[in-house]
Amino acid sequence: MRDRKTPPMAIDIVEYWDKQPLIKLKDGCWNPMSDVGEPSCQACGCWNPEWDIGEFTDSYEENRPIINERWERSGLEKAHIVPHSLGGANSPSNFLMLCRSCHFDFDFEIVTTSRKKMLKIYTWLKERPEKKGEIVEQITDKVCREGKISKEEIIRAMHMKSIVDTIFDENQKVQLEIKEEERAKKYNYKAKNLEEITRIFLDECVAIAKIARQDQKRLDLDLFEWADHIRS
């Protein structure tokens, strides 16, 4: 079972929970990887149910391909704690598994030549979820103002994203394809930092929301109905 709490921070491994090491901190314990079969960013905790393919058995050999496939789907990246260019080893003990934006910001904000300075890293990891949330909130507010669209419409579009192909008619799909081409020209390289990644995601949601405005019946659907639609 994945630990969803914001990771508190410290240094010595003092006990094990669910066969995974807990690192003792001043304000509690931090589990750096609560379930290797369910990958999530060790900084912000981002996770997607689409990564959790397959069902585990009691056989390690049978489970290994499923675990590997889950990690491949996640797109999580190995971030060096001590940079390789500064003598850091290419070994698991010197890695954090981070999402693209956390990896980019970690490399930009944290530089250490020694694992003795781990408290600095643990502090960054502890604060990352809240800071990331604040940044995303600020960008969302700005996108809503610029796009003259409400947060409620943005949230609805987020729920609609995965089922657009099944709910949009052909004309609406064409409109969305045009918007996608416009975004491709605007972001003509692979974004890495949090602001760019968030903006690309929100730009798509704005496009979906504005197209959905043309169909009031769809726009009036309750979010819980959308959730039921997605599950079915």
Side-chain angles (χ1 to χ4, degrees):
M1 182 177 179
R2 186 179 293 100
D3 182 4
R4 285 301 185 189
K5 294 180 179 178
T6 299
M9 302 285 88
I11 300 189
D12 299 324
I13 294 177
V14 293
E15 58 181 307
Y16 284 76
W17 173 81
D18 195 25
K19 299 181 180 180
Q20 298 297 323
L22 292 180
I23 297 176
K24 182 67 176 177
L25 309 171
K26 292 179 181 178
D27 53 350
C29 293
W30 174 50
N31 187 339
M33 194 178 296
S34 59
D35 187 340
V36 295
E38 295 182 345
S40 60
C41 175
Q42 289 179 258
C44 71
C46 73
W47 167 84
N48 190 317
E50 292 180 0
W51 303 345
D52 281 357
I53 54 97
E55 294 293 333
F56 288 140
T57 68
D58 293 332
S59 168
Y60 172 73
E61 288 303 320
E62 290 178 358
N63 292 337
R64 186 164 58 177
I66 298 175
I67 293 173
N68 291 341
E69 176 65 18
R70 289 182 177 191
W71 281 91
E72 286 294 328
R73 285 178 175 237
S74 74
L76 296 174
E77 302 174 351
K78 292 183 289 188
H80 286 76
I81 295 170
V82 177
H84 186 55
S85 60
L86 297 178
N90 277 323
S91 62
S93 62
N94 192 43
F95 290 147
L96 291 170
M97 297 306 297
L98 305 179
C99 65
R100 179 176 296 274
S101 62
C102 284
H103 187 181
F104 183 90
D105 291 345
F106 179 81
D107 287 349
F108 182 76
E109 297 171 20
I110 300 291
V111 177
T112 180
T113 57
S114 171
R115 287 181 57 84
K116 293 179 180 178
K117 298 181 180 179
M118 287 298 287
L119 186 58
K120 177 182 180 182
I121 293 169
Y122 291 143
T123 301
W124 187 90
L125 292 170
K126 176 184 178 181
E127 295 174 349
R128 177 65 175 177
E130 184 175 351
K131 284 190 175 180
K132 184 174 181 178
E134 291 173 354
I135 293 170
V136 170
E137 185 72 17
Q138 291 169 3
I139 297 170
T140 303
D141 289 342
K142 189 173 182 180
V143 167
C144 286
R145 289 195 302 272
E146 292 173 350
K148 297 180 180 179
I149 199 162
S150 70
K151 274 192 178 180
E152 289 74 16
E153 288 177 287
I154 287 285
I155 293 171
R156 193 181 303 277
M158 290 178 185
H159 285 259
M160 293 169 64
K161 252 173 65 68
S162 63
I163 55 172
V164 159
D165 284 341
T166 62
I167 62 171
F168 275 7
D169 60 33
E170 291 306 313
N171 181 53
Q172 291 170 320
K173 289 179 184 177
V174 169
Q175 291 181 60
L176 192 58
E177 287 172 3
I178 293 171
K179 295 291 183 181
E180 287 174 351
E181 291 174 3
E182 292 174 358
R183 286 196 304 280
K185 291 177 182 178
K186 184 177 180 182
Y187 303 101
N188 58 0
Y189 67 100
K190 201 167 187 178
K192 291 186 176 181
N193 68 56
L194 178 59
E195 182 170 355
E196 290 173 332
I197 290 173
T198 303
R199 269 201 168 269
I200 291 172
F201 174 78
L202 290 175
D203 278 354
E204 184 173 0
C205 290
V206 168
I208 291 171
K210 287 188 174 180
I211 292 171
R213 278 179 173 175
Q214 301 167 7
D215 191 332
Q216 194 61 38
K217 289 182 181 179
R218 289 184 178 129
L219 196 61
D220 287 341
L221 278 176
D222 185 271
L223 286 179
F224 288 109
E225 292 183 54
W226 280 116
D228 288 339
H229 193 148
I230 291 171
R231 282 194 292 269
S232 63

